[in-house]
Each structure stands twice: as C-alpha cells, then as structure tokens.
Amino acid sequence: MIESPIPSSEKSRALNNTFALVAGEASGDQLGASLMNGLRELFPGAKFCGIGGPLMTAAGLEAWYPAEKLSVMGLVEVLGHLPELLAIRRDVARRVIALQPDAFIGIDAPDFNLGLERKLKRRGLRTVHYVSPSVWAWKEKRARTIGRSADMVLCLFPMEPAIYARHGVNARFVGHPLADTFAVDPDRAAARHELNLPNAAPVLALLPGSRLGEIRRLAPDFLAAAVLIEEKVTALRVVVPLATAAGRAEFDRILARFPENAAKDLRARTTILDGNAHTAMIAADAVLVASGTAALEAMLAKRPMVVAYRLAALTYWLVTRLRLMKVTRYSLPNVLAGRELVAELMQDDCTPESLAAALLPYLDGSAHSDALLAEFRQLHASLHAPAGVSAAAAIADLIRAVRAD
C-alpha cells in the first residue's frame, strides 16, 4: 500500500469522499480504473460515479452512461450525434452539481470534458483534467484556455507542466501509463515465440494506424516499402497488428490490389494480427509506424523505427497555410529527446523508396542501434511513475489545499 498524503486526522473525513469521473475511449477507461484504485488507497470508502467503460465499472464506478456514448470519431459522425452528446453533457453537469463531489475529473475527451469542466468550475466545484491536450504541438496559448476549465491538469509528459506554468495554470506530471506496461528490456525471443515467428529471421512490423483513413493513406506505401526491402533482405518476415476488424478488412483489400506476384509473395511472409501491437513491436527488428502514440510504444518496446504520416491533402493545406502546428518534430520520441532520434517521413517524403531506404539498415544488419536503444531506455525512465498512484496523490493534494484554505 502506498503512503497516503492525507494526514491520519483527515482519514475519518475521507470515508465518504465522492468523485465524479468522465472517460470516453478505451485508453481513458484504463486511466480511470487505475486512478480509482489509487484514490481508493488514499480515501477509504470513496465512491465513484460518472461515465466510464468496463474497467472503471469493474473498479466500482456507478456508470450514468457507458463510455462508448462519447467515442464518436469524424466531423460528420460528431454532427450526427451532437444533440445526444449535448444532452448527455447537460445531464452530467446537473448530476454533478447536485452531488457536490470532492472533485470532478475529466479524463481526456477534451471536446466533451473541457466545456463540462468550465461549467462546473464556475459553480465552485474542483475540476481536474487528466491528460493534457498536445499544447506543445499546437498553439501554446491554449494552455490558458484549459486553465479556465481545470483547477489542475494532470500531464503524461514531463515537458508539459512548464508550458502551463507560463500561463499560470496548475499542472503536474504524473507519469505515462504506457511506461508501466513495458519492461526496460523487453523479451524479443518470447514475443517471437508467442507469434510463431522464427528467431533468426529479420522481422519488420508495420503499423499504418488504427483509423480507416490512416490505413487507406499509409498502408499502400508501407506495403510497397516492404516489397522493396524484401528484394534485399533474405527471409524477411512482416507482422501487421490491426486494432479493429474493419481495419483488418481494409488492409486486406489494399494488399489484394498489389500485383499478383508481389502480393502472393508478401502474403506468404506476412502475419496479420488482431491487436497485439505491443508483442508485434517487441518481436520486430524494426518498426514502420504511423506518427502518434504508436511511435511512443515502439520506443518503449526498444525497437528502431521509422515514423511516417500523410494527412488528407486539404487538411495538410489548411494546417500549413494557417500555421496551426508550431513543431518541427512530430514523433514523440523526437519531441521527448529534443532532437531527431528517429527518422520522420511526412507527407510528400512518405514514399515507398524513402521508407525502405530508412528501414533497410536495421534489417540487413548494417546499422548499430545500441546507442539509440540506450536513449530509448533513458526516455522510458523519464516517463515512469505509477500513473494511477501519482494522479491520485495530485488530486489528494488539491483537495487538501482547498481544505487548508
């Protein structure tokens, strides 16, 4: 049991503490369940209510709505569900105001939670936003806007609290939960055994994204790069973890469109997985990955990688024309390191030829990656903190500070 930051004299007052939480996607459900367990250590008998998924429900959440109600992606889809989403937000606000919990914790889902937090904060409730939006990548002044919604922001990356501090916002780094899920030195042999991959063969993992649009934009070039690599690397094996059945079906359609000889040979060398991305990364000699959280996962898996991405043409034009992004590094390993550790091939640079050229040294034995993997270990250590415990302690500090006032 962790040591509670709540003095023993306050423990009796903590017996009936209540917390309201709202989480949307599966990642938020995982964060919420871990946070609830941490809070229960500090506040015996605490009660939890709000919106969450199966993990939060199993941890004791009284669910007013299921998390999937908030898991709507895409502009058209959001517009179609907007009346229902707004009605849910109004109902949650009404319930929370009537409940007067010790704190309201919005877990990610910023489009839903920040507006809700702002309304609750104006009514005098303590509000916490767990998972900072990427203020380091977009306009930094957004940090001030987030501060109008949240009394405290819980950050997953160590560089984020300083950004909020510049705008007078209380923020704390609590560790990244993914850092808790990877070993410092993952066992590649065990991962290959689990996936029935040969120990001696060179293995390339392809992760073209989880959304259908990403798969459509990236998978053709990822597969074409694998074909080029295969021409130079004997006995290459390819492993492709896909998060959803729809994603797998789309990937299969793309593979089927390849010229017969290339597609036939590539299929014979390819293992397609339903999920299991972490094991696929650990089993690989190199990873070709869409920019995003998966690049962070590849870093934690301690595998050399090439990061690629291509936005829809209109989106890219708007982002560059309006200068919506302020970063020159896109992948999380490079952002965390403050320099280019891994190759980034974006938009027009994302071609089969450039992808294959960047990956080939890791697969033909010509690259020495010991120094790179040592830096990955250091970055892993910088992210490591038991996230649920650290987040719970930060919320307890916020409650204690208010009580002291």
Side-chain angles (χ1 to χ4, degrees), residues 77-212:
E77 292 82 358
V78 169
L79 288 175
H81 288 83
L82 188 58
E84 181 184 20
L85 290 170
L86 291 175
I88 291 172
R89 191 161 67 176
R90 286 193 299 269
D91 184 53
V92 171
R94 177 185 60 79
R95 289 175 183 247
V96 174
I97 291 168
L99 186 66
Q100 291 291 301
D102 286 88
F104 172 85
I105 304 143
I107 304 171
D108 210 356
D111 292 336
F112 186 92
N113 276 325
L114 288 174
L116 177 58
E117 291 161 19
R118 188 177 303 113
K119 182 174 184 176
L120 297 175
K121 186 177 180 181
R122 286 172 179 166
R123 295 294 294 266
L125 278 80
R126 288 184 288 279
T127 57
V128 177
H129 191 76
Y130 190 5
V131 183
S132 167
S134 299
V135 293
W136 48 269
W138 302 92
K139 293 185 177 180
E140 184 177 308
K141 288 183 180 178
R142 192 184 179 193
R144 186 181 306 144
T145 303
I146 294 167
R148 297 190 189 108
S149 296
D151 292 300
M152 174 181 281
V153 180
L154 303 180
C155 302
L156 305 188
F157 297 108
M159 72 284 193
E160 291 174 327
I163 298 172
Y164 283 97
R166 288 197 289 269
H167 298 278
V169 179
N170 181 17
R172 186 182 295 189
F173 168 63
V174 296
H176 200 294
L178 282 172
D180 302 337
T181 66
F182 285 88
V184 174
D185 292 300
D187 189 336
R188 178 164 57 181
R192 290 197 175 191
H193 178 75
E194 180 178 340
L195 300 179
N196 198 28
L197 294 169
N199 277 332
V203 176
L204 170 65
L206 303 181
L207 288 94
S210 58
R211 298 177 182 130
L212 292 180

Side-chain angles (χ1 to χ4, degrees), residues 156-159 173 175-180 182-184 295-303 305 329 331-342 344 370-385:
L156 305 188
F157 297 108
M159 72 284 193
F173 168 63
H176 200 294
L178 282 172
D180 302 337
F182 285 88
V184 174
L296 176 67
E297 293 170 323
M299 182 199 85
L300 295 170
K302 316 303 183 305
R303 293 298 175 258
M305 76 187 81
R329 302 181 186 95
S331 67
L332 284 166
N334 290 346
V335 170
L336 291 167
R339 62 187 184 86
E340 186 168 313
L341 283 182
V342 303
E344 297 179 342
D370 289 350
L372 174 65
L373 301 188
E375 295 214 45
F376 285 175
R377 291 186 189 94
Q378 291 178 359
L379 291 173
H380 188 166
S382 75
L383 295 176
H384 182 71

Side-chain angles (χ1 to χ4, degrees), residues 309-310 316 346-351 354:
Y309 208 73
R310 184 183 291 111
Y316 181 73
M346 303 294 173
Q347 213 61 20
D348 293 340
D349 293 329
C350 179
T351 66
S354 59

